[in-house]
Amino acid sequence: MNEFELLGPRAYGEALGQAVLKAIAEDFQVDEVLDIPLAGEGEHLWLWVEKRELNTEEAARRLARAAGVPVRTISYAGLKDRQALTRQWFSLHLPGKADPDLSAAENPSLRILKSMRHKRKLQRGAHSANGFTLRLTRLVADHEALDARLKAMAAGGVPNYFGSQRFGHDGGNVVDARAFASRRELPEQRNVRSRLLSAGRSYLFNRVLAERVAKGKWNRAEVGDLLAFTDKRSFFMAGEEECRDPRLEILDLHPTGALWGSGPSPAGGATGALEQALADAEPALRDWLADAGMAHERRILRLPIGGLTWHYPEPDVLQLEFVLPAGCFATAVVRELVDLVPAGQTDNPCVF
């Protein structure tokens, strides 16, 4: 499956050029934003950890080995990219135990920057946002055109697509999800089951968003939409009055799309009809998600980009800094600017 099949059309027009992302880990930096005051005491040890080219699950296993505890006692708020430099929180459940010596877990790929006790464990999804610092290198694009588009994106947001990394290499997770769905089976391994169910409903969400982008309706509310605030999971039905809510204009309130589960789409009007039609086009996947006990959830269609700034450290390098809500993909921002290519495949000469 190609990128267009997994995601959909861009909102701001064709890519303005091309660049390399993640030539080195420092080109993709992520800082977890966690607004939880720590008590300084309790049976949970919280760790602020910097990881380089190391995924979250392996970091948890390494911390567990060093602490001499089962990996199930290690908690984290969310998964972070492996090919990156990331900083995130972990918690270790250590009832009645002193702080362990965790030096065995540290090496150039993992450093513990801070530790503090707290009364509760770190819950999945507890972080409110992620801060990103991205460096696009070997850039081949006109700077003025990039500046104009970035200003438009800062003002209007971008489509909140699930990134292609959610779907695996060449969309393999979607292919596998469809195969299990056709047999009405679930993978026995819990992590595989979670990954494929997530890929399946993410794919259906992207199909809805792609249709609305194509029709120019991804960033405005229509009667029958279910609306949600940027940082809230609850939603409410849009009538004519709600569609005039000024909070839509300031990117605080947004239309949403379905994260598919059991039952019909809860949206009304044209939105409900569209979501139902696209789910009905994948009947095996639709029923598989429902049979797995997935409940309907919603995800905002429009992604606001917090604190977006940019500059050019070198003529062929664009550095971006911004904040996104938890669960949203930095690549959705980059995709509206340039095509990403492997290192060594950019065209020359550079165009400024």
Side-chain angles (χ1 to χ4, degrees):
M1 303 180 73
N2 61 38
E3 183 184 84
F4 190 85
E5 291 176 293
L6 294 170
L7 280 73
R10 294 178 170 90
Y12 291 91
E14 293 300 314
L16 297 174
Q18 59 185 33
V20 173
L21 180 60
K22 301 185 180 182
I24 58 174
E26 284 75 9
D27 289 343
F28 195 100
Q29 299 189 38
V30 188
D31 286 89
E32 199 169 67
V33 179
L34 194 68
D35 300 323
I36 298 176
L38 301 182
E41 61 181 4
E43 59 185 37
H44 298 274
L45 177 63
W46 287 45
L47 306 172
W48 180 237
V49 174
E50 180 181 85
K51 315 187 325 299
R52 176 181 277 99
E53 296 186 337
L54 184 70
N55 69 37
T56 301
E57 293 169 331
E58 176 54 34
R61 288 191 289 268
R62 189 183 295 183
L63 291 169
R65 287 194 298 268
V69 298
V71 71
R72 67 176 180 274
T73 66
I74 311 294
S75 301
Y76 45 84
L79 299 172
K80 300 290 183 284
D81 292 77
R82 182 189 67 80
Q83 194 178 348
L85 178 64
T86 65
R87 287 167 285 271
Q88 70 176 114
W89 285 98
F90 292 80
S91 74
L92 289 68
H93 190 206
L94 300 169
K97 298 180 180 179
D99 291 1
D101 178 4
L102 297 173
S103 58
E106 296 189 272
N107 65 18
S109 66
L110 187 153
R111 291 196 303 143
I112 298 171
L113 305 179
K114 186 191 306 183
S115 64
M116 186 175 293
R117 287 278 180 160
H118 192 51
K119 296 177 181 179
R120 296 182 178 180
K121 78 173 187 177
L122 177 58
Q123 300 286 344
R124 291 298 291 268
H127 59 310
S128 60
N130 290 300
F132 293 90
T133 300
L134 308 186
R135 283 171 56 91
L136 299 173
T137 59
R138 303 193 183 185
L139 175 70
V140 183
D142 180 79
H143 288 189
E144 289 187 4
L146 286 170
D147 292 344
R149 183 164 293 185
L150 281 162
K151 290 176 183 177
M153 291 163 53
V158 297
N160 193 22
Y161 287 118
F162 285 99
S164 57
Q165 57 266 51
R166 171 61 57 92
F167 307 112
H169 181 66
D170 291 335
N173 290 341
V174 178
V175 174
D176 291 344
R178 281 173 166 163
F180 275 99
S182 68
R183 302 193 299 268
R184 302 184 74 90
E185 297 176 355
L186 286 170
E188 293 183 4
Q189 291 181 288
R190 182 177 178 180
N191 63 328
V192 176
R193 181 167 65 249
S194 176
R195 172 165 51 84
L196 297 189
L197 288 170
S198 178
R201 74 197 314 224
S202 298
Y203 173 73
L204 291 181
F205 172 89
N206 276 9
R207 299 278 54 73
V208 171
L209 179 52
E211 284 291 324
R212 292 190 62 153
V213 171
K215 295 176 181 178
K217 296 181 177 181
W218 64 279
N219 56 353
R220 66 174 189 263
E222 298 185 322
V223 173
D225 267 333
L226 295 171
L227 305 181
F229 292 98
T230 300
D231 57 352
K232 303 294 183 183
R233 293 187 178 183
S234 59
F235 51 85
F236 58 92
M237 183 72 73
E240 293 184 1
E241 183 176 351
E242 287 78 8
C243 289
R244 296 190 293 270
D245 192 312
R247 291 171 293 186
L248 288 161
E249 294 298 321
I250 62 173
L251 277 66
D252 190 27
L253 184 65
H254 316 273
T256 65
L259 294 174
W260 204 263
S262 59
S265 168
T271 297
L274 173 64
E275 292 180 355
Q276 194 66 52
L278 290 172
D280 291 346
E282 294 268 0
L285 198 58
R286 175 201 64 199
D287 294 344
W288 184 64
L289 292 169
D291 292 344
M294 306 291 282
H296 264 295
E297 297 178 281
R298 307 295 295 184
R299 175 181 171 91
I300 57 175
L301 296 176
R302 179 177 60 181
L303 175 58
I305 311 169
L308 176 61
T309 62
W310 65 92
H311 68 284
Y312 303 90
E314 300 174 32
D316 64 345
V317 177
L318 169 60
Q319 181 164 317
L320 304 167
E321 296 184 12
F322 53 88
V323 177
L324 298 181
C328 298
F329 288 74
T331 49
V333 177
V334 175
R335 186 172 183 265
E336 292 292 333
L337 295 171
V338 295
D339 287 324
L340 295 179
V341 297
Q345 291 189 19
T346 52
D347 296 331
N348 286 307
C350 275
V351 178
F352 313 135

